[in-house]
Amino acid sequence: MQNGGETHFGYQSIPLEEKQGRVDDVFHSVARRYDLMNDVMSAGLHRAWKDALVTAVNPPKSTRPFKLLDLAGGTGDIAFRVADGGGPNTHVTVCDINAEMLAVGAERAEKRGLEGLVAFEQGNAEELGYADRTFDCATIAFGIRNVPRIERALSEAYRVLKIGGRFLCLEFSAVDVPGLDRLYELYSFQAIPRIGAMVTGDREAYQYLVESVRKFPRPKIFAGMIERAGFRRVSFRPLSGGIVALHSGWKL
Ligand SMILES: C[S@@+](CC[C@H](N)C(=O)[O-])C[C@H]1O[C@@H](n2cnc3c(N)ncnc32)[C@H](O)[C@@H]1O
């Protein structure tokens, strides 16, 4: 067997080829309570961060066709916001590796009457089953740090975007406000795993979450990775004191 090297699952060092299976177990376990937990854990703030991403996507209100690929799109939060904000020819494909997260998303889409505008498709962000230059925009929210081979996912996003298309990524980042950093650290490590245990019954899943946030590259380093995938005019914007960063790059 070819050795793919080592990576991190939270703070644990593990063989690269084991990471996806471990990540899949986390999201299988929490899928049914995932949306509730996001609200509880972030006190609703994740909604504002997702709104900021969708404002940057800026789907056309007109009848102009617009195709968005939401990678690691899970239960559909980004997709629903874009479908609600866009015109009648705005279509969103949610691509996620986890069937359980997609099933929750598909049920939510049906309740909102959005089945025609949002498609839920199982796939790996590292190896997309879409033709080159298919989408006008590709997003990934709180997904990239779970993908074992980030560079592959970035170059796949680049490949499936049309020329002139935009890549947008929302991810936890590094808090840079004195005082808030200490508070955030305490909240992350003392409170989140406990709240996760109460709400989802899976403490380890939320221990992984806080550790994986700390292991994710700092925003400038991640911006460099986006650039190396071929994107141009790469930039990022810290939100909520750097708890989260919104990254952007264009395929020009
Ligand atoms: C924290 S959730 C984010 C879900 C959604 N984007 C949101 O913001 O609510 C991370 C998602 O990444 C998905 N994921 C992990 N590895 C993936 C991969 N290699 N390809 C596609 N999706 C992946 C998980 O299944 C999970 O649904």
Side-chain angles (χ1 to χ4, degrees):
M1 190 180 74
Q2 201 191 343
N3 186 355
E6 291 279 306
T7 190
H8 281 99
F9 177 76
Y11 286 169
Q12 296 169 46
S13 191
I14 61 163
L16 183 60
E17 54 274 23
E18 279 178 22
K19 176 159 173 170
Q20 191 70 64
R22 301 278 299 270
V23 167
D24 293 349
D25 290 345
V26 165
F27 290 101
H28 272 299
S29 159
V30 304
R32 293 273 148 198
R33 306 226 114 194
Y34 174 78
D35 296 306
L36 171 65
M37 186 57 193
N38 275 348
D39 273 330
V40 174
M41 183 174 65
S42 74
L45 261 180
H46 75 109
R47 292 169 182 256
W49 300 328
K50 287 170 177 168
D51 286 345
L53 170 66
V54 172
T55 300
V57 171
N58 192 22
K61 301 253 182 262
S62 66
T63 54
R64 178 161 65 86
F66 183 78
K67 287 171 85 172
L68 171 79
L69 175 64
D70 185 36
L71 293 161
T75 60
D77 264 7
I78 302 303
F80 302 150
R81 282 170 167 76
V82 171
D84 285 338
N89 292 317
T90 292
H91 288 274
V92 185
T93 302
V94 175
C95 171
D96 196 287
I97 204 162
N98 195 308
E100 191 65 26
M101 293 288 280
L102 290 166
V104 174
E107 284 166 25
R108 293 175 79 203
E110 207 182 320
K111 279 191 196 135
R112 291 163 182 250
L114 288 174
E115 314 95 290
L117 296 179
V118 180
F120 287 86
E121 296 179 359
Q122 192 168 13
N124 187 340
E126 292 179 359
E127 218 176 340
L128 296 173
Y130 307 107
D132 298 358
R133 297 188 288 277
T134 301
F135 297 96
D136 298 287
C137 184
T139 51
I140 181 162
F142 306 112
I144 197 77
R145 72 175 192 286
N146 297 294
V147 174
R149 298 163 190 86
I150 292 174
E151 288 87 351
R152 279 196 200 169
L154 292 174
S155 59
E156 277 293 84
Y158 186 84
R159 181 182 67 75
V160 301
L161 274 173
K162 295 177 187 169
I163 307 291
R166 191 176 191 186
F167 171 72
L168 287 157
C169 173
L170 201 54
E171 191 49 270
F172 289 107
S173 188
V175 173
D176 55 7
V177 177
L180 179 64
D181 49 359
R182 180 89 192 102
L183 211 63
Y184 180 60
E185 200 68 7
L186 271 173
Y187 178 68
S188 298
F189 284 91
Q190 301 305 320
I192 289 180
R194 288 197 179 109
I195 302 172
M198 277 188 296
V199 176
T200 70
D202 189 342
R203 185 191 170 99
E204 276 70 44
Y206 286 89
Q207 185 70 31
Y208 159 70
L209 177 133
V210 293
E211 292 179 1
S212 65
V213 169
R214 295 309 178 283
K215 281 287 174 196
F216 189 69
R218 298 231 146 202
K220 271 191 192 155
I221 305 226
F222 182 54
M225 294 168 78
I226 296 174
E227 222 151 31
R228 278 192 294 284
F231 290 102
R232 296 291 167 257
R233 288 165 56 197
V234 171
S235 61
F236 67 88
R237 181 158 65 94
L239 305 175
S240 303
I243 295 178
V244 162
L246 177 58
H247 290 266
S248 165
W250 295 82
K251 178 168 174 176
L252 298 176

